Every structure is written in C-alpha cells, then in structure tokens.
Amino acid sequence: MNVTTTPGPKSSVLLEVELPPERLDRAVDDAVRRLARRTKVAGFRPGKAPRLMLERVLGPAAILDEAVDHLVEDAYREAILESTVVPLTNPDVEVVQAEEGKPVIFKATVQVRPDVTLGDYRNFNFRPEIEEIDDARVDQVIEELRDQNATLAAVEDRGARDGDYAVIGFVGTRDGAPFEGGTSERMPLVIGQERLIPGFEAHLVGARVGDHVEFDIDFPADYPEEALAGQSAHFAVDVRELREKVPPDLDDEFARSMGRFEDLAALRSQIRVRLGRNALDRARHEFADRIIDYAVANATLELPDVLVDQEAEVMHDEFRASLARQGITEEAYLKVTEKTDADMHADFRPRAEQRVKVLLVLSRIAEAEGVTISDAEVAAEVAQARLRYGDDARLLRYIESERGRSFVRSTLRRSKLVEKLVDDWLAAHPDHPALPHAEEGEPPAVADGAVEAAAAVDVTDPGAILDEGVDTKLVLDPAQDPETG
C-alpha cells in the first residue's frame, strides 16, 4: 500500500492511497462469502451461491461495490496508522479507480488537530488601566442607594411628570371600535419609560389624578402585533393614581440605615474602599483580556470546521439556557425574530471561530509555559460541582465522566495560565500598583453556564484537542467521532 499525505486548508489533510490489484481480488472473495450468507438464491444453500448467481440476483455491480466499500474502509484505517494522522472527523472519500485487475486508488480528506504557531505574547506595550475613584463616583453610588430606598408618595398638588408612577385605565379604538388588547382598567406604568406605544406616555405629562385624556397615536411600523403595525388608533385615558419617588434625606440617619455606619462620612469611606477594590479587580480582568487578544492576534493557526461548528452549537445552547431563564422558548424567539435554527447557528459562527482561536492559543501557551493541572485540582473542582449540581443528574454524569473531567482540566489550566501571565508582568513592573486576585488562594472556578452548555452538547473544551495525551473522542461531539460516527 502506498500512502501520500498533503496538508489542506482549514487544518485538513488529503490522504492518497494506492492498493495493489490482489487486495481487491481478496476483497471480492470476502464480499462473495458475506453476500452469499445473507442472500437467498434459489437452488443454493445459504453461503453456497457462486458469484455469477449472486450478481444475477443483486445486480452486476453489487459484489464489486461491497468489496470496494470494505476495502476502502480497512485501507483508510491502515493509512491513518501508517501516516500518524490524527483525524477529528470521518473522512470524505473519493474513489478514483476501482476496477478488477487494476490498482485501487482513493482519496480521503480529514480534518486534523490544528497546528498552532505562537507569536509574541509577552512583549506588549500596554499596561493595566485602573479607574480613578473620585468624589463624583462616590456621590453617584450614594444617589443610587437613595433611589433604591426611596418611598412612593401620592402626588396631589401637581400634574404628572417623567419618573412618576401612575395607574391608568384606557380604551383604544380604531374607526370607533375597540380592538383586542387595547383596553385596560388598571395599568401601572412609569411616565417617560416608554413601556407602551412610543409617544403614549408623553400625552399624560401634566395630567392630574382624575383627569380624562384623549389623543390619537400611530403604532410603529415594527410593532409586534402585525394587525396594528403602522396603524393609527385613538385612546381615551383616565389617570387613576399618581405617585412620586421620595428619596431619604442625605444624612447620618440614612447612613446608619445602610448598615453598621456611624455617620455619612463612614458610609462614603466604605463606598470608596469598595469601588477601589472593584476597580482593581476590573483592571486585572481587562488587562488579562488584552493580553489574550494580543497573543491570539500574533498566533498563526487554521481552524478545522468541526471545532468551530461544535463551539457554535455550545454557544447556541448557552443562548437557549439564557432564554429559558427569562421564561422564553427558543421557538417563540425564532418566531418573533423571523429566524431559523440554521440562521442562529450562522449568527454564532463568527464568535465561535474567535472563541476556538482563543482556547487553542491559550492551550498552546500553557504548554509552552509548563502550566499543568494536577489530578487533585480536578478532583477538588469535581467535588465542588457535585455540591452545585446535586439535583441535576445529567450535569453530574457529565462532570464525572472522562469528557467532563477533561473539560474541567482544560478550563482550570487556562485560568491558571492567564493569572500567571498577569502576575509575571506585575512582578516585572514592581512600580505598578498591585492587582490582587479576586479570591486570593482560591482555585479558579469553572463557570456554571459553560459546564451546562458543554454537557448539553456532550463535548469538552476545544483547547484539549492539542494535548497529546487526550483522545480526540473526548473533545468531539460523539456524532463527529471518526470511530463511532
């Protein structure tokens, strides 16, 4: 058997295989025996019908087709072993020549582990940017606290204005007749938030409790209810209640109501400390993100479609979960947005491609930096996961599987690497303010949403594909597995 391999686009390899004629002769003999056992031929016992009679029953090409299919399958596996190619997908096979008495020639294209060539990822010219916490920022938080703790008081001496809480009753009509969904006895709303038809609430500004207001308004062209989109309607509105937010006085009593603070100065001091801590944490994360972007931009790699498509499906599942948390089904979302499942997959694909690039580059950098995760660290994270997912049997099965543990290991390794790159830069720049870890001494946690999405698709982290000790079957969707697909 002669095998030649040629690198192809998008991390693929073309294998060209040539087999001697006698391999096909043996394959034909085997095909005759297999087909004879499972084909009823009049006058012959099972397994005893000769080739000529089988071809009369099955057709002249049946035996050769059966022989070629089995021969190509066996030869492909031999070629993979001989060439040391590690396939990520089932092969796309083209039989070039398959005639008895001649060599069998076929081509097989497979997607393989991507070759990631690192560029510079340390000698960048940017620094962490730490937000300055000034009095204005502290005042902003104080005002947010006052707003959150405001009470609602009835408005009696003036008309409605933006920000007021109102309860209204209304009747909407078109051509003098009420329309479905256009009537309410008591509808709460905040004036100016435009929760109803754009421009509706502006007609209520200045109205007092007990006032009756009538006006005409046009529904927007993109209004969800198609029968009303772009149409004009008349509304008769009664203002039933009107309240305004009354924030607490800005004094020491307000500060004491917020916790164990002696006075307003103590509250302001604590807010400044917390804002400063948050600013450092944010600066560390944003700095890490810029390092990642720099490393990915300088790396060279071609992505196999199978990894990108798989990650797009993971992102799609993350989106489904997000919709579910809001009480929205994907079917309802697709109907409103007028998209198909394929449209959604196409929308996710560019971001999936970028995410896979990031994961692969960080995996290769981790290897270069000697960053590893011990079995004990994986076991500790799995133990934490058992506590978090105790009521979810599917997630527990995934996180405790070899595929799930591979996901945990890759995720922890990536987090440890990023922290190392930031810490190494800080150590080399002792003049820069410290950027402490958010949870000093705690191992990086594996995000719940990421685990749920990976478990739903039953895949692990794409970055694990570069680990020589990791079986590609642990990374791929089982449907993509070259051996089980």
Side-chain angles (χ1 to χ4, degrees):
M1 180 172 69
N2 295 321
V3 181
T4 59
T5 59
T6 307
K10 294 186 177 182
S11 191
S12 64
V13 168
L14 172 66
L15 293 92
E16 297 179 271
V17 181
E18 181 176 330
L19 302 166
E22 54 268 25
R23 285 287 298 269
L24 181 56
D25 293 340
R26 291 198 298 271
V28 167
D29 292 340
D30 291 340
V32 169
R33 284 191 290 271
R34 281 193 303 273
L35 292 174
R37 284 195 297 268
R38 63 174 188 255
T39 304
K40 290 184 178 181
V41 180
F44 295 91
R45 288 177 297 166
K48 299 300 182 179
R51 176 178 179 178
L52 179 62
M53 298 305 296
L54 286 171
E55 289 180 334
R56 286 181 180 178
V57 173
L58 301 174
I63 292 176
L64 183 59
D65 289 345
E66 169 84 1
V68 170
D69 286 346
H70 280 261
L71 178 58
V72 167
E73 182 179 340
D74 293 342
Y76 166 73
R77 293 180 184 277
E78 295 172 25
I80 287 295
L81 293 174
E82 181 179 314
S83 64
T84 68
V85 168
V86 181
L88 299 182
T89 58
N90 290 318
D92 181 9
V93 175
E94 175 192 357
V95 177
V96 178
Q97 178 174 284
E99 298 178 31
E100 292 184 73
K102 295 182 180 180
V104 174
I105 301 173
F106 69 90
K107 298 178 181 179
T109 303
V110 292
Q111 296 177 49
V112 297
R113 282 175 171 160
D115 183 17
V116 180
T117 303
L118 296 177
D120 179 52
Y121 57 87
R122 284 188 174 277
N123 300 311
F124 40 82
N125 58 8
F126 50 84
R127 301 169 65 89
E129 298 179 1
I130 304 174
E131 178 190 3
E132 180 182 354
I133 306 302
D134 54 16
D135 290 341
R137 183 72 181 90
V138 175
D139 290 341
Q140 179 184 347
V141 175
I142 290 285
E143 289 308 307
E144 290 171 357
L145 290 173
R146 292 181 68 208
D147 182 72
Q148 293 167 10
N149 290 273
T151 57
L152 293 177
V155 175
E156 300 175 347
D157 57 350
R158 62 170 176 80
R161 63 189 180 197
D162 283 350
D164 284 345
Y165 289 69
V167 175
I168 63 172
F170 60 85
V171 176
T173 57
R174 291 183 58 206
D175 300 325
F179 56 87
E180 185 178 356
T183 300
S184 176
E185 280 296 318
R186 292 181 64 84
M187 168 71 75
L189 71 145
V190 180
I191 305 294
Q193 286 192 350
E194 298 284 7
R195 298 293 297 275
L196 297 177
I197 308 163
F200 185 101
E201 294 158 25
H203 291 282
L204 305 181
V205 173
R208 294 171 176 259
V209 174
D211 282 358
H212 181 83
V213 181
E214 297 197 23
F215 53 87
D216 293 325
I217 196 167
D218 293 331
F219 284 88
D222 59 352
Y223 193 70
E225 188 63 45
E226 293 183 8
L228 298 174
Q231 302 298 310
S232 296
H234 181 81
F235 281 92
V237 182
D238 292 307
V239 181
R240 305 197 188 284
E241 296 179 17
L242 198 62
R243 299 177 185 274
E244 64 178 337
K245 265 189 174 182
V246 180
D249 292 335
L250 186 58
D251 54 19
D252 293 342
E253 185 61 32
F254 165 69
R256 285 189 283 271
S257 73
M258 291 292 98
R260 298 179 179 179
F261 303 104
E262 292 184 2
D263 50 28
L264 189 59
L267 174 61
R268 292 180 62 85
S269 176
Q270 182 61 29
I271 289 173
R272 188 182 295 274
V273 169
R274 291 183 180 179
L275 288 175
R277 188 182 302 133
N278 291 343
L280 292 176
D281 185 55
R282 189 164 52 253
R284 183 180 183 95
H285 281 88
E286 291 175 353
F287 183 53
D289 288 343
R290 293 186 70 184
I291 294 175
I292 292 170
D293 290 344
Y294 179 82
V296 173
N298 288 333
T300 303
L301 68 162
E302 286 192 333
L303 302 180
D305 285 334
V306 61
L307 292 185
V308 178
D309 289 333
Q310 179 174 285
E311 194 64 22
E313 185 54 37
V314 170
M315 296 176 73
H316 196 165
D317 199 79
E318 289 172 349
F319 183 71
R320 292 187 190 101
S322 175
L323 289 177
R325 286 192 292 271
Q326 302 172 62
I328 303 171
T329 65
E330 185 180 25
E331 182 181 6
Y333 177 85
L334 294 176
K335 183 177 180 181
V336 170
T337 58
E338 298 182 342
K339 289 187 175 183
T340 66
D341 192 73
D343 292 333
M344 294 295 296
H345 188 86
D347 290 345
F348 286 122
R349 209 174 188 284
R351 282 183 288 152
E353 184 172 331
Q354 180 61 24
R355 186 191 282 188
V356 172
K357 279 185 180 179
V358 168
L359 298 179
L360 292 173
V361 170
L362 291 183
S363 180
R364 185 60 82 209
I365 294 176
E367 180 184 339
E369 293 287 323
V371 176
T372 59
I373 297 296
S374 67
D375 291 344
E377 289 174 288
V378 174
E381 184 61 34
V382 170
Q384 289 296 316
R386 289 193 190 102
L387 299 177
R388 293 199 299 272
Y389 310 135
D391 296 330
D392 194 321
R394 179 178 62 86
L395 282 180
L396 282 177
R397 282 196 304 272
Y398 173 77
I399 206 70
E400 292 178 345
S401 69
E402 192 173 358
R403 196 183 296 270
R405 288 173 182 269
S406 175
F407 177 90
V408 169
R409 188 182 300 276
S410 290
T411 306
L412 292 178
R413 185 187 188 202
R414 183 166 57 253
S415 297
K416 183 184 283 190
L417 166 70
V418 172
E419 297 298 335
K420 179 181 186 299
L421 294 178
V422 173
D423 289 339
D424 287 353
W425 186 91
L426 290 170
H429 298 80
D431 59 313
H432 193 279
L435 297 177
H437 294 255
E439 294 290 339
E440 202 67 55
E442 290 291 325
V446 178
D448 289 349
V451 173
E452 292 167 6
V457 186
D458 195 19
V459 297
T460 190
D461 192 295
I465 203 74
L466 298 182
D467 297 344
E468 291 300 327
V470 172
D471 191 334
T472 58
K473 293 193 291 295
L474 297 180
V475 181
L476 297 173
D477 179 339
Q480 300 280 3
D481 184 347
E483 293 188 13
T484 66

